[in-house]
Amino acid sequence: MTPINAPRRTASLSAQLVDSLRAHIEAGGWPVGTRIPSEQALIEELGVGRSTLREAIGALVHLGLLEPRAGDGTYVRSSSELQSVLVRRASSAQRDNVLELRTVLEEYASGAAALRRDEAQLRQLRELLADADAAAAGADPAAATSVDALFHRAVVRASGNDLLIEVYDYLGTALTSSLGGLTWDAADAEDHARLHRRLVDAIEAQDAGAARDAAAAIVRLTRDHETGEPRAAKQQ
């Protein structure tokens, strides 16, 4: 019978350190995009050996949470393994596939939000609609995209499905990036705003079917706008 190798103390320390650093990142102790402290500073702060620290950092790099940059230190790339995997995959996917995924997630979430939303969530959606109108009037595409992303996240949060909320939060940047850089003409912009108002009206009325239809129409409008689909086809 093959004997089981006893665990090495350094391996145990490394595993504990991975868990500790991962929890620190997830809690926002090192925000995404920031550089982590130097190796020597971490050794002194944590009281561990250089090899243990390097093993733990290497594991976090492999998981996609950290990213080493030659000559510039190590940066936080993502706050969780799931986020890293999902965002990387969505970012490399075809645009149509990303939009289809948006449709699936947002259509279901919108129907659930209509059934589960509370008054505070409804007020937030109305406030975000007003913010979106203000951003559109200011002719700032970046601001409009940012408000739109907040709006759709708020809809998903109103669904009350914790797992869906988590997945959508992780994919949010990749899913909404398809709107970035688009120049909307006046007619398309009005259609976009009208569909968002229709979605909130359906959520307020607790009409799940109408909410799902409005959510799907919003993504369809974005897709058609990107591909230059004629307006007559959109209205069919």
Side-chain angles (χ1 to χ4, degrees):
M1 182 176 182
T2 304
I4 300 174
N5 294 325
R8 294 179 293 115
R9 182 173 180 272
T10 53
S12 177
L13 283 175
S14 177
Q16 292 178 48
L17 186 55
V18 169
D19 290 341
S20 177
L21 295 179
R22 180 166 48 192
H24 187 68
I25 292 170
E26 290 178 350
W30 293 337
V32 173
T34 61
R35 183 172 57 187
I36 70 172
S38 68
E39 182 178 271
Q40 188 57 42
L42 287 173
I43 289 172
E44 294 174 1
E45 178 181 352
L46 300 171
V48 297
R50 194 174 304 274
S51 62
T52 298
L53 177 64
R54 287 182 176 177
E55 187 175 349
I57 295 296
L60 294 174
V61 169
H62 180 72
L63 291 172
L65 301 187
L66 297 179
E67 176 185 11
R69 299 180 186 176
D72 194 27
T74 300
Y75 285 75
V76 180
R77 180 180 182 183
S78 177
S79 60
S80 78
E81 303 99 296
L82 180 58
Q83 181 184 37
S84 176
V85 171
L86 292 179
V87 170
R88 184 167 62 248
R89 182 64 185 92
S91 297
S92 64
Q94 294 182 3
R95 202 90 159 209
D96 284 349
N97 290 343
V98 173
L99 289 171
E100 284 181 8
L101 180 57
R102 274 196 66 188
T103 303
V104 170
L105 295 179
E106 293 181 11
E107 186 176 344
Y108 177 84
S110 296
L115 300 176
R116 300 171 184 167
R117 57 82 179 163
D118 58 32
E119 291 303 315
Q121 290 167 332
L122 189 58
R123 283 196 302 273
Q124 182 186 27
L125 290 174
R126 291 290 182 192
E127 290 169 359
L128 288 169
L129 280 182
D131 291 345
D133 289 340
D140 183 350
T145 298
S146 177
V147 174
D148 190 76
L150 291 173
F151 174 86
H152 287 288
R153 281 189 172 95
V155 171
V156 174
R157 289 182 184 280
S159 74
N161 184 318
D162 290 341
L163 183 57
L164 176 60
I165 292 167
E166 183 178 9
V167 170
Y168 191 87
D169 277 349
Y170 290 156
L171 279 173
T173 300
L175 294 179
T176 57
S177 64
S178 59
L179 296 174
L182 289 180
T183 301
W184 295 80
D185 59 31
D188 279 343
E190 176 52 35
D191 277 348
H192 195 251
R194 174 181 55 79
L195 288 172
H196 282 69
R197 291 192 295 270
R198 196 173 95 189
L199 173 56
V200 176
D201 288 344
I203 291 174
E204 181 174 18
Q206 297 187 300
D207 187 336
R212 289 194 296 268
D213 289 345
I218 289 170
V219 181
R220 189 162 56 247
L221 176 65
T222 302
R223 181 201 63 205
D224 291 347
H225 182 69
E226 282 190 326
T227 58
E229 192 78 16
R231 291 185 57 76
K234 296 178 195 176
Q235 294 170 352
Q236 291 178 353

